[in-house]
Amino acid sequence: MMQENLPEILFDSSYVSEIEERVYKQTMEQRAMGRKIVGIYCAFTPKELLAAADAIPVSLCGGSEKPFPVAEQYLPANLCPLIKSSYGHAVADTCPYFHMVDFLLADATCDGKKKMFELLQRLKPLHLLLLPQSPVPEESLDYWEKELYKVIAFLEKNTGNAITQDNLRKQIQVYNRLRRTVENVFQLNTHDIPWVFGSEIDAITSMGGFECDIEARIAEMETAMEKIRHRSLSGRFLAQMQKRPKLLLTGCPNTNKKVLHLIEKVGGVVAAMETCGGLKSTGRLVDEGDEPIRALAEKYLNVACSCMTPNSQRIEIIGELIDRFKVHGVIELTWTACHTYNVEAFLVREAVEQRFERPYMQILTDYSQNDVGQLETRIGAFLEMLG
Amino acid sequence: MSEDYRSMWTDLGLDPEAHDTLLGVLGKAYGDIYLSQKDRPAGMGYFDFVMSEVHGLRIRELLNEKEAGRKIIGSYCVFVPEEIVLAANATLVGLCSGADFAMEEVEKLLPRNTCALIKSSFGFKLGKVCPYLEISDMIVGENTCDGKKKAYESLNRMVKNLYVMDLPQVKSPQGRALLKTEYDRFRSAAEKLTGFPVTAESLKESIRMVNAKRAAVHRLSSLRKADPAPISGLDALLANQVFFYDNPTRFTESVNKICDELKKRIEEKKGVFPEKTPRILLSGCPQAVPNWKLPFIVENSGAVIVGEESCVGERGTRNLTDESGKTVEEMMEAIVDRYYRVDCAIFTPNPERLEHIQEMVAAYKADGVIHYGLQFCQPYLMESMPVEKALEEKNIPCLRIETDYSMEDVGQIKTRVEAFIEQIRG
Ligand code: SF4
Ligand code: SF4
């Protein structure tokens, strides 16, 4: 879906396609020279380790409904669309990224994914990271740290490169800088009047597929921010933005953009996103002063994902974002059959409405376009209520 | 039912009207499904009695235990070790619920797309109809599937005494170590609750007692290998269900008594169904009381169920705990070893389960497997397709049923089951 009705929009899907094309070309050249490509599925995978082994990470979460029919030959139909899409693409070999991947790093997060990986490992070499189910007990961190050592061994073996402390420290700095930059992009929306559409942020902060030259992406994000700042000097633009209620979008990953785009089409601005690609994982940096592997373990154990129990961190993050971005309301996106986010939605609603005193709406949907009309009406009514 | 129980239920905080409704439904279902069966072993009279008193006499007994200073621990899962509970001077009761109740209230707290078992456990709490839940001094939730582990976060608001046990997802040395840590932590929690330390003597005795209960069930299972089948799958399932509620020693005796009777039946070539009746193995999600829908359909469509590869069945009971340990530590290790082998679909990968299904098919001479999946249960539904494929490659017919607790699909399931049985008859 295209971004419709957005005034003076600067960054859209064509902006992303250009990046994708460039990154793809670059990666193919580097691959020809022997760099390995590693597919990942989740915000829990420490990309710093991959980069330190000179491998190129690529996120493989599917966002399209096209591969459902083939996926459903192997998986129950009643499954989260993200899982079905990812698996369908893989098994039908219709995803150029999956095709290029040398091996996979997968995290045992939700039931659906972890059982899907059992099938996926028939297609490509796969290393499973065993996440603890709870970030709270002290043992979880030790356990997770040990898992990271296994990842290191796996990566060193499969790339032929040693992961040195120096390399790792360097990559930690690079990824921290990336996190800070993404934070800065969002930061533009902390003014009373938002400066940038959520769908633009999505385009600006997109990695464009393979993460082979992060420095270049950071530089591009800086340039994009300059343009946004420049646009915000226009009184006319700000007047239009002022009319739009500011929203926090939370919940399942925005792998399919339909809800994000609908909210803005109907007249809102997604000022902040508490999602895997968004502010969920950027707020906390990897401690550069600590022993690097321990520091990574700490950072990545604390991704506030609903697959963790308890996941009270997420409620706290949502509260902070509501304040910092001065949002008028919260919309939670949950994909059908995603049990963890759907069950947790009860606690999120309770906290948003009672503790943070903001209107809340949950959207339960999948990747199909069938309910777009209905969603538009519901979102419209919600925005109207925000005044 | 006597007035005496009525005040007991009110004292426990149950909603008298809602509870009457539940008992009414339960009693009717039991009559229609169980008492209507032909040629039941006389020993099943005991289980009929247990079921008729499941909210009455048994609750009275538990209250008496409490008065005498014992504690009651409620559990939703076979990973909660009964050995530890008993050794700490507490009694374990199963809380798994098998019927829809107070659904409107439940769906305010849980997504509609949640498995019926989880919704039911909330419904029994919200509807105030489960005396076991109300009587429990501690309720143990476990991080098994996503649905359950997240639901406990909400349940925590509704009950004061929830204890959450973490579980590994993978069978690795680290996974085993995690289970050990959690069982040690649980032991301390149980000790703290009861004020009784787990000693080598008490643990040894409880291991023996729980093993005896399992051994009785094993004996029952092995008698089901006979053709004609000496007992219906429904009745055997009931024994497996009562396993979770009853006094362990009395349960063991009663099952053994039935086994003596079945042995005679087999010698006399007497069965509940004629010889050569198609034999079905049920495999998949647990069936908690009073979820008897699928076995009822199967056994009224011309087949007999000869085994349950399920938590309420052989997956839950098949392994014994090693009894040779001398110290508490040694016995704790043995308990961890025992539970670590449970081949639940929450583990990834879980190849032992497929092996076990095949072993059971051979041991009970099953002609086909019906895979029972609760709607929205990702772990078992995800496994069901690979299981079906693997079985079919070995020429074992397999039918995948996906359902919930409602009765709307009974006709449709019956049609599919009948066709499957026809196919088996060949
Ligand atoms: S959206 Fe939910 S079900 Fe889907 S992959 Fe993520 S956690 Fe799993
Ligand atoms: S039946 Fe499946 S979804 Fe339901 S509680 Fe059990 S494992 Fe979880």
Side-chain angles (χ1 to χ4, degrees), chain A residues 80-83 109-113 252-253 305-307 335-341, chain B residues 146 378:
Chain A
C80 138
L82 196 159
I83 302 177
T109 48
C110 62
D111 288 342
K113 266 193 181 171
C252 290
C305 173
S306 62
C307 71
W335 298 127
T336 21
C338 167
H339 294 335
T340 58
Y341 276 101
Chain B
D146 285 344
Q378 282 173 352

Side-chain angles (χ1 to χ4, degrees), chain A residues 74-75 78 110-112 114-116 118 130 133 143 150 306-309 337 339-340 342 344 346 350, chain B residues 109 111 113 143 145-146 149-150 153 157 167 169-170 174 345-348 376 378-379 382-383 385:
Chain A
Y74 304 84
L75 301 171
N78 207 328
C110 62
D111 288 342
K114 88 185 180 199
K115 300 306 279 186
M116 183 268 275
E118 292 174 19
L130 309 179
Q133 308 207 55
Y143 179 95
K150 287 194 211 156
S306 62
C307 71
M308 289 285 168
T309 183
H339 294 335
T340 58
N342 276 313
E344 196 165 281
F346 168 73
E350 189 184 67
Chain B
L109 300 178
N113 287 358
N143 292 342
C145 64
D146 285 344
K149 90 180 177 197
K150 297 308 284 186
E153 293 171 21
R157 305 297 177 89
L167 290 179
Q169 311 192 46
V170 175
Q174 265 170 276
I346 60 139
F347 284 101
T348 181
F376 315 117
Q378 282 173 352
M382 293 284 271
E383 281 197 0
M385 294 167 99

Side-chain angles (χ1 to χ4, degrees), chain A residues 153-226:
Chain A
F154 175 82
L155 284 171
E156 290 187 333
K157 186 163 156 249
N158 284 278
T159 59
N161 302 326
I163 298 180
T164 64
Q165 290 259 334
D166 273 359
N167 249 339
L168 196 50
R169 286 224 156 81
K170 215 172 89 210
Q171 294 305 335
I172 288 176
Q173 285 167 6
V174 172
Y175 272 95
N176 272 347
R177 221 163 43 242
L178 175 64
R179 287 184 190 106
R180 254 180 264 127
T181 313
V182 172
E183 279 277 326
N184 289 342
V185 175
F186 276 99
Q187 188 67 21
L188 300 169
N189 269 343
T190 51
H191 309 273
D192 284 333
I193 304 178
W195 285 7
V196 50
F197 287 103
S199 45
E200 287 182 306
I201 298 181
D202 186 61
I204 296 169
T205 59
S206 154
M207 291 313 290
F210 303 106
E211 301 186 13
C212 74
D213 188 354
I214 293 176
E215 303 282 1
R217 284 298 297 123
I218 292 178
E220 280 166 335
M221 289 181 205
E222 301 284 356
T223 315
M225 277 189 270
E226 268 321 302

Side-chain angles (χ1 to χ4, degrees), chain B residues 257-389:
Chain B
K257 221 181 267 160
I258 295 185
C259 290
D260 295 339
E261 189 186 345
L262 297 188
K263 218 173 131 229
K264 273 204 211 96
R265 283 189 163 203
I266 294 172
E267 282 160 14
E268 294 162 11
K269 282 238 153 222
K270 259 177 67 184
V272 280
F273 293 95
E275 212 177 330
K276 301 256 174 324
T277 298
R279 301 163 68 86
I280 300 292
L281 177 75
L282 271 196
S283 168
C285 290
Q287 292 169 307
V289 174
N291 174 16
W292 300 307
K293 177 166 93 174
L294 185 60
F296 177 71
I297 295 175
V298 173
E299 299 205 321
N300 281 281
S301 304
V304 56
I305 295 169
V306 291
E308 297 79 24
E309 189 280 318
S310 156
C311 303
V312 185
E314 218 170 281
R315 188 189 309 131
T317 55
R318 72 163 158 154
N319 300 313
L320 297 180
T321 305
D322 182 67
E323 294 188 13
S324 65
K326 295 207 164 53
T327 62
V328 170
E329 192 48 34
E330 280 169 17
M331 287 184 264
M332 286 297 292
E333 291 288 347
I335 291 171
V336 173
D337 280 336
R338 190 258 160 209
Y339 285 89
Y340 185 63
R341 273 153 64 200
V342 175
D343 46 3
C344 171
I346 60 139
F347 284 101
T348 181
N350 186 33
E352 297 89 356
R353 179 167 166 243
L354 179 61
E355 282 163 29
H356 186 218
I357 297 173
Q358 291 172 356
E359 275 166 32
M360 285 185 78
V361 167
Y364 301 105
K365 302 188 202 74
D367 301 302
V369 174
I370 297 186
H371 191 284
Y372 171 69
L374 279 174
Q375 236 176 346
F376 315 117
C377 165
Q378 282 173 352
Y380 283 95
L381 292 178
M382 293 284 271
E383 281 197 0
S384 70
M385 294 167 99
V387 162
E388 178 188 45
K389 264 203 193 107

Side-chain angles (χ1 to χ4, degrees), chain B residues 58-98:
Chain B
R58 183 64 186 136
I59 298 301
R60 167 74 64 218
E61 284 178 352
L62 292 174
L63 282 171
N64 290 344
E65 286 188 16
K66 276 171 80 119
E67 246 161 63
R70 271 178 91 85
K71 298 287 178 192
I72 311 296
I73 297 184
S75 131
Y76 289 102
C77 176
V78 295
F79 277 104
V80 180
E82 188 170 8
E83 291 91 337
I84 296 177
V85 173
L86 291 173
N89 197 37
T91 296
L92 188 71
V93 292
L95 296 174
C96 255
S97 355

